Amino acid sequence: MRKTGVLTAGLLAAAMTFPAFAQMSVEDQIEARQAAYQFMSWNMGKIKAQVIDGEVAFNADQMMAAANAIAATANSGLGALYSPESAMDQADDTRLKPEFFEQPEKAREVGGNFVREANKLQEVAATGDQEALASQFAAVGKTCKACHDNFRAD
Ligand code: HEC
């Protein structure tokens, strides 16, 4: 009995600390996905600075760290942050178009393309090949844009 009580209390504490553990509020979903995209954007920027613009000297370890962060975020199950109630026709402070839920095949396609290219970015970054990384950076960027063009309001 006592043991169960302690366990339950522990689970409740975990649920309060980590929103994903329980049903997340729409506000939390929006905040978390916006933060995830900002974080990926920051890491994409690091890659761009080194392999596209050449403003920063190429550093293979930094490129691998950036690509790992992007791939990990892409693979973290971002779909859980997309409930129909979190689209801009029902919620505030978001640019998610309701079309995301009206065109589930398209949403799956753009999401799947993005995850695939993000995983490839991680593989390419691990090789330290600067030119291959530049071209894979562009491939990932295209998948970001494809989703924005379809499902993000201006
Ligand atoms: C599956 C679709 C999808 C993919 C893939 C995607 N995005 Fe987005 N992105 C969105 C949506 C939808 C929003 C708006 C989120 C909101 O306002 O709730 C957004 C918002 C953003 C924002 C603004 C975040 C904020 O603070 O409001 C940035 C920056 C961004 N994305 C960058 C990226 C980058 C970089 C990639 C690729 C590495 C990417 N996105 C991939 C759908 C996507």
Side-chain angles (χ1 to χ4, degrees):
M1 266 318 261
R2 254 176 83 194
K3 229 177 182 173
T4 315
V6 170
L7 187 63
T8 308
L11 287 173
L12 281 175
M16 286 186 289
T17 318
F18 306 106
F21 203 82
Q23 187 63 31
M24 264 176 110
S25 72
V26 160
E27 290 75 21
D28 284 346
Q29 290 173 28
I30 292 170
E31 259 182 41
R33 74 184 175 223
Q34 289 175 344
Y37 291 128
Q38 288 284 355
F39 181 64
M40 286 196 288
S41 186
W42 175 53
N43 283 287
M44 286 290 276
K46 295 180 210 169
I47 298 176
K48 181 171 184 282
Q50 294 193 14
V51 305
I52 307 285
D53 301 338
E55 323 171 319
V56 179
F58 181 74
N59 178 311
D61 288 337
Q62 288 173 3
M63 294 299 91
M64 219 191 312
N68 287 346
I70 292 164
T73 308
N75 288 310
S76 68
L78 292 173
L81 303 176
Y82 283 82
S83 68
E85 298 76 30
S86 73
M88 56 190 284
D89 58 339
Q90 299 185 55
D92 296 323
D93 301 322
T94 178
R95 290 191 284 158
L96 174 63
K97 291 184 180 173
E99 280 85 345
F100 187 83
F101 304 98
E102 291 154 12
Q103 300 164 13
E105 305 253 301
K106 185 75 190 166
R108 238 191 318 273
E109 181 196 318
V110 296
N113 288 343
F114 161 64
V115 172
R116 189 189 63 241
E117 296 304 330
N119 284 327
K120 205 165 155 207
L121 185 75
Q122 184 177 35
E123 285 168 26
V124 172
T127 68
D129 181 338
Q130 197 169 339
E131 257 177 51
L133 186 56
S135 100
Q136 189 55 28
F137 168 87
V140 172
K142 266 189 204 152
T143 67
C144 308
K145 186 173 185 298
C147 192
H148 295 161
D149 288 349
N150 282 282
F151 300 121
R152 189 179 75 174
D154 295 334

